[in-house]
Amino acid sequence: MRTTGWLGHPPATDDEARARILEATHRCVERRGARTTISDVASSLGLSRATVYRYYEGTATLLQAAAVEGTREFLDQLGDHLRSFDDLAEAAVEGVTFIITQVPSQPYLQLMFEESTHTLLRTVTSETTRAIARALLVERTSVDWTRTTIDSSTLDELVEWIQRIVQSFLSDQTESPTRTPEQLREYLHRWLGPSIRTWATVADNAPSRSAPETAPATTP
């Protein structure tokens, strides 16, 4: 490991080096957003680009690693926001609304649709993100899964559909009609809500069911 650079305080381990590079990346993203490059991060730490490349193979890889950390707090906020919803359609609509309307204040959500290669945007529909979205619906909402007729495979399809809706909104910010949060919520209630209720009706005489299981997931 190099002993120069690092603003005069070289890391003791490779793990510490990666952590400090990610910290510097967060600061750069806050200032430069999607224009952040490995050169920016290297300069902020007094390093050569070659040193950063030892730990991250390119700008996209570095930004993706930073996004993993940068979105954790946001996902916790989303889970807290959904906690009071006991209707699956309401929870789905509110989740999409919350994500889309928070883009301007969330650097890594903003980065997803500004980054030119769209590498980060494609993570929205990744298997890891799908597992996280499923866990949010099952574990962080107040939906009584023992009273719903939805099965596990249908829930997986719903999660995939929600992901694709979010990805579409994030990738089409300039072309989509401008809506206030309430207008977006009404739009989703009109078109997304009814389709969910078709497959996730709560039946008074439905047999008792177990809540859908969720696999352990990490932030995308």
Side-chain angles (χ1 to χ4, degrees):
M1 187 182 303
R2 287 177 179 266
T3 57
T4 57
W6 301 104
L7 304 180
H9 301 283
T13 65
D14 283 348
D15 286 343
E16 183 185 348
R18 291 187 184 93
R20 288 176 61 181
I21 289 171
L22 286 180
E23 289 173 4
T25 304
H26 292 316
R27 293 192 295 269
C28 289
V29 168
E30 288 179 0
R31 294 195 311 268
R32 297 180 54 79
R35 295 177 298 160
T36 298
T37 66
I38 278 185
S39 294
D40 298 322
V41 176
S43 295
S44 71
L45 290 171
L47 303 173
S48 68
R49 288 185 301 171
T51 301
V52 180
Y53 278 123
R54 289 192 59 194
Y55 302 99
Y56 297 96
E57 63 184 27
T59 297
T61 303
L62 177 57
L63 291 179
Q64 187 170 3
V68 168
E69 292 190 346
T71 56
R72 280 198 182 108
E73 183 178 351
F74 171 75
L75 289 173
D76 282 339
Q77 293 171 1
L78 174 59
D80 290 342
H81 184 72
L82 296 177
R83 194 178 299 280
S84 64
F85 290 89
D86 58 7
D87 178 89
L88 182 56
E90 293 277 349
V93 166
E94 195 60 31
V96 174
T97 301
F98 186 85
I99 293 171
I100 301 306
T101 56
Q102 288 295 308
V103 167
S105 62
Q106 297 290 329
Y108 285 102
L109 292 182
Q110 190 95 13
L111 186 65
M112 281 184 180
F113 69 85
E114 287 184 348
E115 192 257 323
S116 59
T117 68
H118 299 302
T119 300
L120 290 178
L121 186 59
R122 285 193 292 272
T123 67
V124 172
T125 52
S126 70
E127 289 295 334
T128 301
T129 310
R130 192 168 304 160
I132 292 169
R134 181 185 172 104
L136 283 170
L137 285 177
V138 173
E139 300 173 3
R140 300 295 292 271
T141 68
S142 295
V143 174
D144 183 356
W145 293 99
T146 66
R147 302 296 302 160
T148 182
T149 58
I150 195 170
D151 60 24
S152 183
S153 62
T154 307
L155 178 60
D156 286 339
E157 289 186 356
L158 171 60
V159 168
E160 179 188 353
W161 184 237
I162 290 173
Q163 288 176 292
R164 295 188 183 282
I165 291 171
V166 170
Q167 186 186 49
S168 176
F169 272 102
L170 289 178
S171 63
D172 196 27
Q173 290 285 319
T174 58
E175 299 296 329
S176 298
T178 301
R179 295 184 176 94
T180 65
E182 189 54 41
Q183 288 171 334
L184 175 60
R185 189 175 287 110
E186 291 174 358
Y187 172 78
L188 293 170
H189 272 301
R190 192 155 48 245
W191 298 108
L192 177 61
S195 66
I196 293 176
R197 289 193 174 94
T198 297
W199 293 97
T201 55
V202 177
D204 290 338
N205 59 352
S208 178
R209 305 170 70 96
S210 299
E213 295 182 357
T214 57
T218 56
T219 308

PDB file of all heavy atoms in Angstrom, residues 85-121:
ATOM      1  N   PHE A  85     -49.259   2.085   6.954  1.00  0.00           N
ATOM      2  CA  PHE A  85     -50.161   1.667   5.886  1.00  0.00           C
ATOM      3  C   PHE A  85     -50.505   0.187   6.020  1.00  0.00           C
ATOM      4  O   PHE A  85     -49.614  -0.670   6.038  1.00  0.00           O
ATOM      5  CB  PHE A  85     -49.529   1.946   4.512  1.00  0.00           C
ATOM      6  CG  PHE A  85     -49.437   3.412   4.198  1.00  0.00           C
ATOM      7  CD1 PHE A  85     -48.316   4.142   4.573  1.00  0.00           C
ATOM      8  CD2 PHE A  85     -50.474   4.064   3.558  1.00  0.00           C
ATOM      9  CE1 PHE A  85     -48.232   5.499   4.305  1.00  0.00           C
ATOM     10  CE2 PHE A  85     -50.399   5.419   3.286  1.00  0.00           C
ATOM     11  CZ  PHE A  85     -49.276   6.147   3.662  1.00  0.00           C
ATOM     12  N   ASP A  86     -51.823  -0.092   6.105  1.00  0.00           N
ATOM     13  CA  ASP A  86     -52.266  -1.481   6.243  1.00  0.00           C
ATOM     14  C   ASP A  86     -52.950  -2.003   4.981  1.00  0.00           C
ATOM     15  O   ASP A  86     -53.440  -3.131   4.957  1.00  0.00           O
ATOM     16  CB  ASP A  86     -53.203  -1.643   7.447  1.00  0.00           C
ATOM     17  CG  ASP A  86     -54.445  -0.757   7.357  1.00  0.00           C
ATOM     18  OD1 ASP A  86     -54.654  -0.113   6.299  1.00  0.00           O
ATOM     19  OD2 ASP A  86     -55.195  -0.702   8.344  1.00  0.00           O
ATOM     20  N   ASP A  87     -52.985  -1.197   3.930  1.00  0.00           N
ATOM     21  CA  ASP A  87     -53.546  -1.595   2.640  1.00  0.00           C
ATOM     22  C   ASP A  87     -52.402  -1.686   1.636  1.00  0.00           C
ATOM     23  O   ASP A  87     -51.638  -0.736   1.471  1.00  0.00           O
ATOM     24  CB  ASP A  87     -54.591  -0.579   2.180  1.00  0.00           C
ATOM     25  CG  ASP A  87     -55.179  -0.929   0.818  1.00  0.00           C
ATOM     26  OD1 ASP A  87     -56.173  -1.671   0.776  1.00  0.00           O
ATOM     27  OD2 ASP A  87     -54.634  -0.462  -0.196  1.00  0.00           O
ATOM     28  N   LEU A  88     -52.274  -2.839   0.980  1.00  0.00           N
ATOM     29  CA  LEU A  88     -51.127  -3.061   0.108  1.00  0.00           C
ATOM     30  C   LEU A  88     -51.078  -2.064  -1.043  1.00  0.00           C
ATOM     31  O   LEU A  88     -50.000  -1.551  -1.388  1.00  0.00           O
ATOM     32  CB  LEU A  88     -51.153  -4.492  -0.440  1.00  0.00           C
ATOM     33  CG  LEU A  88     -49.990  -4.908  -1.342  1.00  0.00           C
ATOM     34  CD1 LEU A  88     -48.653  -4.697  -0.647  1.00  0.00           C
ATOM     35  CD2 LEU A  88     -50.147  -6.363  -1.770  1.00  0.00           C
ATOM     36  N   ALA A  89     -52.217  -1.776  -1.659  1.00  0.00           N
ATOM     37  CA  ALA A  89     -52.250  -0.825  -2.770  1.00  0.00           C
ATOM     38  C   ALA A  89     -51.833   0.565  -2.287  1.00  0.00           C
ATOM     39  O   ALA A  89     -51.060   1.259  -2.958  1.00  0.00           O
ATOM     40  CB  ALA A  89     -53.638  -0.782  -3.400  1.00  0.00           C
ATOM     41  N   GLU A  90     -52.342   0.962  -1.119  1.00  0.00           N
ATOM     42  CA  GLU A  90     -51.973   2.268  -0.555  1.00  0.00           C
ATOM     43  C   GLU A  90     -50.471   2.322  -0.273  1.00  0.00           C
ATOM     44  O   GLU A  90     -49.813   3.325  -0.552  1.00  0.00           O
ATOM     45  CB  GLU A  90     -52.752   2.510   0.742  1.00  0.00           C
ATOM     46  CG  GLU A  90     -54.240   2.688   0.575  1.00  0.00           C
ATOM     47  CD  GLU A  90     -54.618   4.106   0.205  1.00  0.00           C
ATOM     48  OE1 GLU A  90     -53.733   4.989   0.288  1.00  0.00           O
ATOM     49  OE2 GLU A  90     -55.776   4.325  -0.177  1.00  0.00           O
ATOM     50  N   ALA A  91     -49.932   1.237   0.281  1.00  0.00           N
ATOM     51  CA  ALA A  91     -48.509   1.203   0.607  1.00  0.00           C
ATOM     52  C   ALA A  91     -47.654   1.299  -0.659  1.00  0.00           C
ATOM     53  O   ALA A  91     -46.644   2.009  -0.685  1.00  0.00           O
ATOM     54  CB  ALA A  91     -48.180  -0.078   1.369  1.00  0.00           C
ATOM     55  N   ALA A  92     -48.065   0.595  -1.721  1.00  0.00           N
ATOM     56  CA  ALA A  92     -47.304   0.630  -2.976  1.00  0.00           C
ATOM     57  C   ALA A  92     -47.337   2.021  -3.591  1.00  0.00           C
ATOM     58  O   ALA A  92     -46.300   2.551  -4.021  1.00  0.00           O
ATOM     59  CB  ALA A  92     -47.871  -0.394  -3.952  1.00  0.00           C
ATOM     60  N   VAL A  93     -48.516   2.619  -3.646  1.00  0.00           N
ATOM     61  CA  VAL A  93     -48.642   3.969  -4.197  1.00  0.00           C
ATOM     62  C   VAL A  93     -47.823   4.961  -3.394  1.00  0.00           C
ATOM     63  O   VAL A  93     -47.100   5.802  -3.952  1.00  0.00           O
ATOM     64  CB  VAL A  93     -50.127   4.396  -4.227  1.00  0.00           C
ATOM     65  CG1 VAL A  93     -50.258   5.904  -4.473  1.00  0.00           C
ATOM     66  CG2 VAL A  93     -50.883   3.617  -5.299  1.00  0.00           C
ATOM     67  N   GLU A  94     -47.892   4.860  -2.080  1.00  0.00           N
ATOM     68  CA  GLU A  94     -47.173   5.806  -1.236  1.00  0.00           C
ATOM     69  C   GLU A  94     -45.669   5.601  -1.352  1.00  0.00           C
ATOM     70  O   GLU A  94     -44.897   6.556  -1.323  1.00  0.00           O
ATOM     71  CB  GLU A  94     -47.616   5.654   0.217  1.00  0.00           C
ATOM     72  CG  GLU A  94     -47.212   6.811   1.111  1.00  0.00           C
ATOM     73  CD  GLU A  94     -47.788   8.147   0.661  1.00  0.00           C
ATOM     74  OE1 GLU A  94     -48.907   8.164   0.081  1.00  0.00           O
ATOM     75  OE2 GLU A  94     -47.130   9.185   0.879  1.00  0.00           O
ATOM     76  N   GLY A  95     -45.247   4.341  -1.484  1.00  0.00           N
ATOM     77  CA  GLY A  95     -43.821   4.072  -1.630  1.00  0.00           C
ATOM     78  C   GLY A  95     -43.257   4.682  -2.899  1.00  0.00           C
ATOM     79  O   GLY A  95     -42.201   5.323  -2.880  1.00  0.00           O
ATOM     80  N   VAL A  96     -43.961   4.499  -4.027  1.00  0.00           N
ATOM     81  CA  VAL A  96     -43.508   5.083  -5.291  1.00  0.00           C
ATOM     82  C   VAL A  96     -43.506   6.603  -5.199  1.00  0.00           C
ATOM     83  O   VAL A  96     -42.551   7.270  -5.632  1.00  0.00           O
ATOM     84  CB  VAL A  96     -44.401   4.613  -6.462  1.00  0.00           C
ATOM     85  CG1 VAL A  96     -44.016   5.342  -7.753  1.00  0.00           C
ATOM     86  CG2 VAL A  96     -44.278   3.101  -6.653  1.00  0.00           C
ATOM     87  N   THR A  97     -44.574   7.174  -4.634  1.00  0.00           N
ATOM     88  CA  THR A  97     -44.666   8.633  -4.494  1.00  0.00           C
ATOM     89  C   THR A  97     -43.512   9.167  -3.654  1.00  0.00           C
ATOM     90  O   THR A  97     -42.875  10.175  -4.003  1.00  0.00           O
ATOM     91  CB  THR A  97     -46.003   9.031  -3.851  1.00  0.00           C
ATOM     92  OG1 THR A  97     -47.086   8.548  -4.659  1.00  0.00           O
ATOM     93  CG2 THR A  97     -46.118  10.543  -3.715  1.00  0.00           C
ATOM     94  N   PHE A  98     -43.227   8.507  -2.546  1.00  0.00           N
ATOM     95  CA  PHE A  98     -42.166   8.951  -1.641  1.00  0.00           C
ATOM     96  C   PHE A  98     -40.815   8.944  -2.364  1.00  0.00           C
ATOM     97  O   PHE A  98     -40.051   9.907  -2.277  1.00  0.00           O
ATOM     98  CB  PHE A  98     -42.114   8.033  -0.413  1.00  0.00           C
ATOM     99  CG  PHE A  98     -41.161   8.478   0.649  1.00  0.00           C
ATOM    100  CD1 PHE A  98     -41.538   9.400   1.607  1.00  0.00           C
ATOM    101  CD2 PHE A  98     -39.871   7.957   0.710  1.00  0.00           C
ATOM    102  CE1 PHE A  98     -40.662   9.814   2.602  1.00  0.00           C
ATOM    103  CE2 PHE A  98     -38.984   8.355   1.692  1.00  0.00           C
ATOM    104  CZ  PHE A  98     -39.376   9.289   2.640  1.00  0.00           C
ATOM    105  N   ILE A  99     -40.526   7.867  -3.084  1.00  0.00           N
ATOM    106  CA  ILE A  99     -39.234   7.760  -3.776  1.00  0.00           C
ATOM    107  C   ILE A  99     -39.085   8.859  -4.823  1.00  0.00           C
ATOM    108  O   ILE A  99     -38.065   9.566  -4.868  1.00  0.00           O
ATOM    109  CB  ILE A  99     -39.087   6.381  -4.443  1.00  0.00           C
ATOM    110  CG1 ILE A  99     -38.983   5.294  -3.364  1.00  0.00           C
ATOM    111  CG2 ILE A  99     -37.849   6.347  -5.349  1.00  0.00           C
ATOM    112  CD1 ILE A  99     -39.057   3.884  -3.919  1.00  0.00           C
ATOM    113  N   ILE A 100     -40.103   9.013  -5.675  1.00  0.00           N
ATOM    114  CA  ILE A 100     -40.008   9.969  -6.783  1.00  0.00           C
ATOM    115  C   ILE A 100     -39.919  11.404  -6.274  1.00  0.00           C
ATOM    116  O   ILE A 100     -39.125  12.202  -6.778  1.00  0.00           O
ATOM    117  CB  ILE A 100     -41.208   9.820  -7.734  1.00  0.00           C
ATOM    118  CG1 ILE A 100     -41.275   8.398  -8.302  1.00  0.00           C
ATOM    119  CG2 ILE A 100     -41.124  10.837  -8.866  1.00  0.00           C
ATOM    120  CD1 ILE A 100     -40.016   7.925  -8.965  1.00  0.00           C
ATOM    121  N   THR A 101     -40.695  11.739  -5.258  1.00  0.00           N
ATOM    122  CA  THR A 101     -40.703  13.125  -4.773  1.00  0.00           C
ATOM    123  C   THR A 101     -39.464  13.456  -3.944  1.00  0.00           C
ATOM    124  O   THR A 101     -39.154  14.626  -3.751  1.00  0.00           O
ATOM    125  CB  THR A 101     -41.962  13.410  -3.927  1.00  0.00           C
ATOM    126  OG1 THR A 101     -42.043  12.471  -2.837  1.00  0.00           O
ATOM    127  CG2 THR A 101     -43.212  13.294  -4.779  1.00  0.00           C
ATOM    128  N   GLN A 102     -38.746  12.430  -3.469  1.00  0.00           N
ATOM    129  CA  GLN A 102     -37.542  12.673  -2.675  1.00  0.00           C
ATOM    130  C   GLN A 102     -36.288  12.814  -3.530  1.00  0.00           C
ATOM    131  O   GLN A 102     -35.226  13.142  -3.010  1.00  0.00           O
ATOM    132  CB  GLN A 102     -37.339  11.527  -1.667  1.00  0.00           C
ATOM    133  CG  GLN A 102     -38.322  11.525  -0.522  1.00  0.00           C
ATOM    134  CD  GLN A 102     -38.168  12.743   0.359  1.00  0.00           C
ATOM    135  OE1 GLN A 102     -37.071  13.044   0.825  1.00  0.00           O
ATOM    136  NE2 GLN A 102     -39.246  13.447   0.601  1.00  0.00           N
ATOM    137  N   VAL A 103     -36.401  12.560  -4.836  1.00  0.00           N
ATOM    138  CA  VAL A 103     -35.225  12.619  -5.714  1.00  0.00           C
ATOM    139  C   VAL A 103     -34.437  13.924  -5.572  1.00  0.00           C
ATOM    140  O   VAL A 103     -33.207  13.897  -5.438  1.00  0.00           O
ATOM    141  CB  VAL A 103     -35.630  12.378  -7.184  1.00  0.00           C
ATOM    142  CG1 VAL A 103     -34.493  12.759  -8.132  1.00  0.00           C
ATOM    143  CG2 VAL A 103     -35.995  10.915  -7.400  1.00  0.00           C
ATOM    144  N   PRO A 104     -35.084  15.100  -5.596  1.00  0.00           N
ATOM    145  CA  PRO A 104     -34.304  16.351  -5.538  1.00  0.00           C
ATOM    146  C   PRO A 104     -33.469  16.499  -4.272  1.00  0.00           C
ATOM    147  O   PRO A 104     -32.447  17.194  -4.285  1.00  0.00           O
ATOM    148  CB  PRO A 104     -35.383  17.443  -5.622  1.00  0.00           C
ATOM    149  CG  PRO A 104     -36.532  16.780  -6.306  1.00  0.00           C
ATOM    150  CD  PRO A 104     -36.522  15.373  -5.788  1.00  0.00           C
ATOM    151  N   SER A 105     -33.876  15.854  -3.176  1.00  0.00           N
ATOM    152  CA  SER A 105     -33.152  16.029  -1.916  1.00  0.00           C
ATOM    153  C   SER A 105     -32.254  14.843  -1.574  1.00  0.00           C
ATOM    154  O   SER A 105     -31.604  14.837  -0.528  1.00  0.00           O
ATOM    155  CB  SER A 105     -34.150  16.244  -0.765  1.00  0.00           C
ATOM    156  OG  SER A 105     -34.986  15.103  -0.603  1.00  0.00           O
ATOM    157  N   GLN A 106     -32.217  13.836  -2.452  1.00  0.00           N
ATOM    158  CA  GLN A 106     -31.407  12.652  -2.200  1.00  0.00           C
ATOM    159  C   GLN A 106     -30.314  12.544  -3.271  1.00  0.00           C
ATOM    160  O   GLN A 106     -30.598  12.187  -4.411  1.00  0.00           O
ATOM    161  CB  GLN A 106     -32.284  11.391  -2.209  1.00  0.00           C
ATOM    162  CG  GLN A 106     -33.346  11.349  -1.127  1.00  0.00           C
ATOM    163  CD  GLN A 106     -32.728  11.173   0.254  1.00  0.00           C
ATOM    164  OE1 GLN A 106     -31.677  10.545   0.391  1.00  0.00           O
ATOM    165  NE2 GLN A 106     -33.378  11.711   1.260  1.00  0.00           N
ATOM    166  N   PRO A 107     -29.065  12.838  -2.928  1.00  0.00           N
ATOM    167  CA  PRO A 107     -27.995  12.873  -3.938  1.00  0.00           C
ATOM    168  C   PRO A 107     -27.875  11.597  -4.763  1.00  0.00           C
ATOM    169  O   PRO A 107     -27.631  11.666  -5.963  1.00  0.00           O
ATOM    170  CB  PRO A 107     -26.734  13.103  -3.095  1.00  0.00           C
ATOM    171  CG  PRO A 107     -27.215  13.761  -1.849  1.00  0.00           C
ATOM    172  CD  PRO A 107     -28.563  13.186  -1.582  1.00  0.00           C
ATOM    173  N   TYR A 108     -28.057  10.438  -4.134  1.00  0.00           N
ATOM    174  CA  TYR A 108     -27.844   9.198  -4.887  1.00  0.00           C
ATOM    175  C   TYR A 108     -29.048   8.826  -5.743  1.00  0.00           C
ATOM    176  O   TYR A 108     -28.894   8.153  -6.762  1.00  0.00           O
ATOM    177  CB  TYR A 108     -27.448   8.065  -3.944  1.00  0.00           C
ATOM    178  CG  TYR A 108     -26.021   8.227  -3.486  1.00  0.00           C
ATOM    179  CD1 TYR A 108     -25.730   8.726  -2.231  1.00  0.00           C
ATOM    180  CD2 TYR A 108     -24.969   7.937  -4.340  1.00  0.00           C
ATOM    181  CE1 TYR A 108     -24.411   8.919  -1.822  1.00  0.00           C
ATOM    182  CE2 TYR A 108     -23.644   8.125  -3.943  1.00  0.00           C
ATOM    183  CZ  TYR A 108     -23.378   8.620  -2.684  1.00  0.00           C
ATOM    184  OH  TYR A 108     -22.076   8.824  -2.301  1.00  0.00           O
ATOM    185  N   LEU A 109     -30.245   9.248  -5.373  1.00  0.00           N
ATOM    186  CA  LEU A 109     -31.386   9.078  -6.269  1.00  0.00           C
ATOM    187  C   LEU A 109     -31.226   9.991  -7.479  1.00  0.00           C
ATOM    188  O   LEU A 109     -31.503   9.607  -8.618  1.00  0.00           O
ATOM    189  CB  LEU A 109     -32.700   9.391  -5.542  1.00  0.00           C
ATOM    190  CG  LEU A 109     -33.122   8.419  -4.438  1.00  0.00           C
ATOM    191  CD1 LEU A 109     -34.461   8.848  -3.863  1.00  0.00           C
ATOM    192  CD2 LEU A 109     -33.188   6.994  -4.931  1.00  0.00           C
ATOM    193  N   GLN A 110     -30.785  11.211  -7.224  1.00  0.00           N
ATOM    194  CA  GLN A 110     -30.526  12.156  -8.305  1.00  0.00           C
ATOM    195  C   GLN A 110     -29.458  11.601  -9.247  1.00  0.00           C
ATOM    196  O   GLN A 110     -29.561  11.688 -10.468  1.00  0.00           O
ATOM    197  CB  GLN A 110     -30.047  13.485  -7.712  1.00  0.00           C
ATOM    198  CG  GLN A 110     -29.971  14.615  -8.706  1.00  0.00           C
ATOM    199  CD  GLN A 110     -31.229  15.457  -8.701  1.00  0.00           C
ATOM    200  OE1 GLN A 110     -32.042  15.343  -7.804  1.00  0.00           O
ATOM    201  NE2 GLN A 110     -31.390  16.301  -9.680  1.00  0.00           N
ATOM    202  N   LEU A 111     -28.442  11.000  -8.641  1.00  0.00           N
ATOM    203  CA  LEU A 111     -27.332  10.459  -9.413  1.00  0.00           C
ATOM    204  C   LEU A 111     -27.787   9.348 -10.352  1.00  0.00           C
ATOM    205  O   LEU A 111     -27.260   9.188 -11.451  1.00  0.00           O
ATOM    206  CB  LEU A 111     -26.271   9.932  -8.448  1.00  0.00           C
ATOM    207  CG  LEU A 111     -24.944   9.444  -9.027  1.00  0.00           C
ATOM    208  CD1 LEU A 111     -24.201  10.605  -9.676  1.00  0.00           C
ATOM    209  CD2 LEU A 111     -24.100   8.819  -7.925  1.00  0.00           C
ATOM    210  N   MET A 112     -28.791   8.581  -9.940  1.00  0.00           N
ATOM    211  CA  MET A 112     -29.241   7.444 -10.743  1.00  0.00           C
ATOM    212  C   MET A 112     -29.671   7.839 -12.144  1.00  0.00           C
ATOM    213  O   MET A 112     -29.392   7.151 -13.108  1.00  0.00           O
ATOM    214  CB  MET A 112     -30.379   6.714 -10.027  1.00  0.00           C
ATOM    215  CG  MET A 112     -29.926   5.803  -8.921  1.00  0.00           C
ATOM    216  SD  MET A 112     -31.294   4.898  -8.195  1.00  0.00           S
ATOM    217  CE  MET A 112     -30.410   3.944  -6.955  1.00  0.00           C
ATOM    218  N   PHE A 113     -30.397   8.973 -12.253  1.00  0.00           N
ATOM    219  CA  PHE A 113     -30.860   9.322 -13.590  1.00  0.00           C
ATOM    220  C   PHE A 113     -29.980  10.372 -14.264  1.00  0.00           C
ATOM    221  O   PHE A 113     -30.152  10.660 -15.446  1.00  0.00           O
ATOM    222  CB  PHE A 113     -32.330   9.754 -13.595  1.00  0.00           C
ATOM    223  CG  PHE A 113     -32.630  11.053 -12.927  1.00  0.00           C
ATOM    224  CD1 PHE A 113     -32.495  12.247 -13.604  1.00  0.00           C
ATOM    225  CD2 PHE A 113     -33.104  11.083 -11.629  1.00  0.00           C
ATOM    226  CE1 PHE A 113     -32.791  13.449 -13.000  1.00  0.00           C
ATOM    227  CE2 PHE A 113     -33.416  12.291 -11.012  1.00  0.00           C
ATOM    228  CZ  PHE A 113     -33.260  13.464 -11.705  1.00  0.00           C
ATOM    229  N   GLU A 114     -29.002  10.919 -13.543  1.00  0.00           N
ATOM    230  CA  GLU A 114     -28.090  11.878 -14.163  1.00  0.00           C
ATOM    231  C   GLU A 114     -26.832  11.203 -14.710  1.00  0.00           C
ATOM    232  O   GLU A 114     -26.216  11.689 -15.654  1.00  0.00           O
ATOM    233  CB  GLU A 114     -27.671  12.944 -13.145  1.00  0.00           C
ATOM    234  CG  GLU A 114     -28.781  13.939 -12.823  1.00  0.00           C
ATOM    235  CD  GLU A 114     -28.287  15.031 -11.892  1.00  0.00           C
ATOM    236  OE1 GLU A 114     -27.180  14.890 -11.339  1.00  0.00           O
ATOM    237  OE2 GLU A 114     -29.021  16.012 -11.720  1.00  0.00           O
ATOM    238  N   GLU A 115     -26.448  10.059 -14.100  1.00  0.00           N
ATOM    239  CA  GLU A 115     -25.210   9.376 -14.484  1.00  0.00           C
ATOM    240  C   GLU A 115     -25.340   8.843 -15.910  1.00  0.00           C
ATOM    241  O   GLU A 115     -26.296   8.156 -16.250  1.00  0.00           O
ATOM    242  CB  GLU A 115     -24.946   8.232 -13.491  1.00  0.00           C
ATOM    243  CG  GLU A 115     -23.566   7.638 -13.594  1.00  0.00           C
ATOM    244  CD  GLU A 115     -23.627   6.310 -14.315  1.00  0.00           C
ATOM    245  OE1 GLU A 115     -24.586   5.559 -14.142  1.00  0.00           O
ATOM    246  OE2 GLU A 115     -22.689   6.055 -15.088  1.00  0.00           O
ATOM    247  N   SER A 116     -24.385   9.205 -16.765  1.00  0.00           N
ATOM    248  CA  SER A 116     -24.530   9.012 -18.208  1.00  0.00           C
ATOM    249  C   SER A 116     -24.591   7.547 -18.645  1.00  0.00           C
ATOM    250  O   SER A 116     -25.245   7.224 -19.638  1.00  0.00           O
ATOM    251  CB  SER A 116     -23.372   9.709 -18.951  1.00  0.00           C
ATOM    252  OG  SER A 116     -22.122   9.186 -18.528  1.00  0.00           O
ATOM    253  N   THR A 117     -23.930   6.627 -17.938  1.00  0.00           N
ATOM    254  CA  THR A 117     -23.938   5.235 -18.363  1.00  0.00           C
ATOM    255  C   THR A 117     -25.179   4.484 -17.904  1.00  0.00           C
ATOM    256  O   THR A 117     -25.426   3.365 -18.343  1.00  0.00           O
ATOM    257  CB  THR A 117     -22.704   4.494 -17.808  1.00  0.00           C
ATOM    258  OG1 THR A 117     -22.816   4.368 -16.381  1.00  0.00           O
ATOM    259  CG2 THR A 117     -21.421   5.232 -18.162  1.00  0.00           C
ATOM    260  N   HIS A 118     -25.956   5.090 -16.993  1.00  0.00           N
ATOM    261  CA  HIS A 118     -27.165   4.478 -16.427  1.00  0.00           C
ATOM    262  C   HIS A 118     -26.865   3.176 -15.687  1.00  0.00           C
ATOM    263  O   HIS A 118     -27.763   2.369 -15.466  1.00  0.00           O
ATOM    264  CB  HIS A 118     -28.211   4.218 -17.511  1.00  0.00           C
ATOM    265  CG  HIS A 118     -28.666   5.477 -18.200  1.00  0.00           C
ATOM    266  ND1 HIS A 118     -29.227   6.532 -17.528  1.00  0.00           N
ATOM    267  CD2 HIS A 118     -28.628   5.834 -19.511  1.00  0.00           C
ATOM    268  CE1 HIS A 118     -29.517   7.494 -18.378  1.00  0.00           C
ATOM    269  NE2 HIS A 118     -29.160   7.095 -19.582  1.00  0.00           N
ATOM    270  N   THR A 119     -25.609   2.994 -15.283  1.00  0.00           N
ATOM    271  CA  THR A 119     -25.255   1.801 -14.520  1.00  0.00           C
ATOM    272  C   THR A 119     -26.004   1.749 -13.201  1.00  0.00           C
ATOM    273  O   THR A 119     -26.529   0.711 -12.797  1.00  0.00           O
ATOM    274  CB  THR A 119     -23.739   1.764 -14.256  1.00  0.00           C
ATOM    275  OG1 THR A 119     -23.052   1.747 -15.508  1.00  0.00           O
ATOM    276  CG2 THR A 119     -23.357   0.526 -13.448  1.00  0.00           C
ATOM    277  N   LEU A 120     -26.057   2.887 -12.504  1.00  0.00           N
ATOM    278  CA  LEU A 120     -26.758   2.928 -11.224  1.00  0.00           C
ATOM    279  C   LEU A 120     -28.257   2.755 -11.412  1.00  0.00           C
ATOM    280  O   LEU A 120     -28.920   2.102 -10.607  1.00  0.00           O
ATOM    281  CB  LEU A 120     -26.466   4.249 -10.506  1.00  0.00           C
ATOM    282  CG  LEU A 120     -25.048   4.432  -9.973  1.00  0.00           C
ATOM    283  CD1 LEU A 120     -24.897   5.805  -9.344  1.00  0.00           C
ATOM    284  CD2 LEU A 120     -24.709   3.349  -8.962  1.00  0.00           C
ATOM    285  N   LEU A 121     -28.805   3.338 -12.461  1.00  0.00           N
ATOM    286  CA  LEU A 121     -30.238   3.239 -12.694  1.00  0.00           C
ATOM    287  C   LEU A 121     -30.660   1.791 -12.905  1.00  0.00           C
ATOM    288  O   LEU A 121     -31.726   1.365 -12.468  1.00  0.00           O
ATOM    289  CB  LEU A 121     -30.642   4.089 -13.905  1.00  0.00           C
ATOM    290  CG  LEU A 121     -32.138   4.207 -14.183  1.00  0.00           C
ATOM    291  CD1 LEU A 121     -32.868   4.807 -12.995  1.00  0.00           C
ATOM    292  CD2 LEU A 121     -32.376   5.034 -15.432  1.00  0.00           C
TER     293      LEU A 121
END
